[in-house]
Amino acid sequence: NAGVTQTPKFRILKIGQSMTLQCTQDMNHNYMYWYRQDPGMGLKLIYYSVGAGITDKGEVPNGYNVSRSTTEDFPLRLELAAPSQTSVYFCASSSGTSNYGYTFGSGTRLTVV
Amino acid sequence: QKEVEQNSGPLSVPEGAIASLNCTYSDRVSQSFFWYRQYSGKSPELIMSIYSNGDKEDGRFTAQLNKASQYVSLLIRDSQPSDSATYLCAVSPGGFKTIFGAGTRLFVKA
């Protein structure tokens, strides 16, 4: 049982490049989330999804896009990378609403130079 | 005022002591409260959840909630060096919103 799997673990992007952060879960959770974590700051919600085909913006969605074609997968797309997107990105899932707590993936450390 | 506030620490306690971590929140309608442990370079891991006023115990961990004071705490008894980590407080008003604090760094000295 792998839980929530994120790839890649590390990535360096040049300004203006694009990339997709992959996230997959094998717990049959309907709810999935993307967060970013900056030093000294709490986790900030980028996008979330309540099921296949349904996504919505979180607190800091600018510069990102998501899709949810299956229950298992919730990729995060960065278009035109900027230094402000340097961060650690975590994907998470839960069996219900936010009352249930989250299972997090191992994270992707992204540096934009 | 931040929505979820935690002292950044570091909080340093000797091995075997009780570590007390505190968190205040601003949204009075908050329903669910969580503590996550995050080791350096790793992802957060859920260790406690609490939904009603009072204490909830799980092994060496006790979560305490006081909704009137908008205060939630985590006690770690018999602290071990392996407990050294950052502890994130998270608060949810329900629905799909969870607000995370910036975390308190705990250091347990052997």
Side-chain angles (χ1 to χ4, degrees):
Chain A
N1 190 345
V4 180
T5 302
Q6 286 184 243
T7 56
K9 294 190 182 303
F10 303 94
R11 183 72 185 267
I12 298 175
L13 277 183
K14 293 184 178 180
I15 294 172
Q17 287 185 321
S18 300
M19 74 165 295
T20 299
L21 282 65
Q22 302 292 344
C23 175
T24 187
Q25 52 93 7
D26 62 1
M27 298 174 285
N28 201 33
H29 286 173
N30 283 324
Y31 301 82
M32 296 188 74
Y33 310 84
W34 274 105
Y35 282 88
R36 60 177 287 171
Q37 186 176 40
D38 300 308
M41 307 289 287
L43 291 155
K44 301 295 184 185
L45 181 64
I46 305 171
Y47 271 93
Y48 67 94
S49 169
V50 302
I54 307 170
T55 63
D56 207 348
K57 296 178 180 179
E59 186 180 359
V60 289
N62 291 344
Y64 308 94
N65 275 300
V66 294
S67 60
R68 184 95 182 270
S69 57
T70 67
T71 299
E72 295 78 19
D73 299 308
F74 189 41
L76 177 72
R77 178 79 177 166
L78 278 71
E79 303 282 1
L80 298 175
S84 61
Q85 293 177 305
T86 294
S87 188
V88 180
Y89 292 84
F90 290 105
C91 179
S93 72
S94 66
S95 58
T97 64
S98 54
N99 290 334
Y100 287 77
Y102 299 156
T103 299
F104 283 88
S106 59
T108 295
R109 185 174 296 274
L110 175 68
T111 302
V112 181
V113 296
Chain B
Q1 181 188 10
K2 292 182 180 178
E3 292 182 88
V4 177
E5 291 208 58
Q6 297 181 254
N7 188 319
S8 61
L11 172 65
S12 184
V13 300
E15 184 175 358
I18 296 175
S20 178
L21 305 164
N22 304 314
C23 171
T24 58
Y25 60 94
S26 60
D27 190 342
R28 287 191 170 274
V29 301
S30 296
Q31 300 177 3
S32 308
F33 306 84
F34 308 92
W35 285 99
Y36 290 82
R37 178 177 61 202
Q38 186 174 25
Y39 292 114
S40 180
K42 303 296 185 182
S43 59
E45 174 193 10
L46 180 65
I47 56 172
M48 290 290 287
S49 57
I50 187 167
Y51 305 98
S52 55
N53 282 328
D55 295 359
K56 178 181 178 182
E57 187 174 319
D58 184 0
R60 295 187 296 112
F61 298 100
T62 299
Q64 299 176 315
L65 175 61
N66 184 326
K67 290 186 177 180
S69 299
Q70 295 176 243
Y71 179 92
V72 58
S73 65
L74 178 70
L75 301 178
I76 306 174
R77 291 182 300 281
D78 188 25
S79 295
Q80 301 297 309
S82 59
D83 294 326
S84 298
T86 296
Y87 289 81
L88 307 178
C89 174
V91 175
S92 174
F96 309 106
K97 184 178 181 181
T98 296
I99 307 300
F100 287 83
T104 298
R105 285 186 297 143
L106 173 66
F107 179 62
V108 181
K109 297 176 292 184

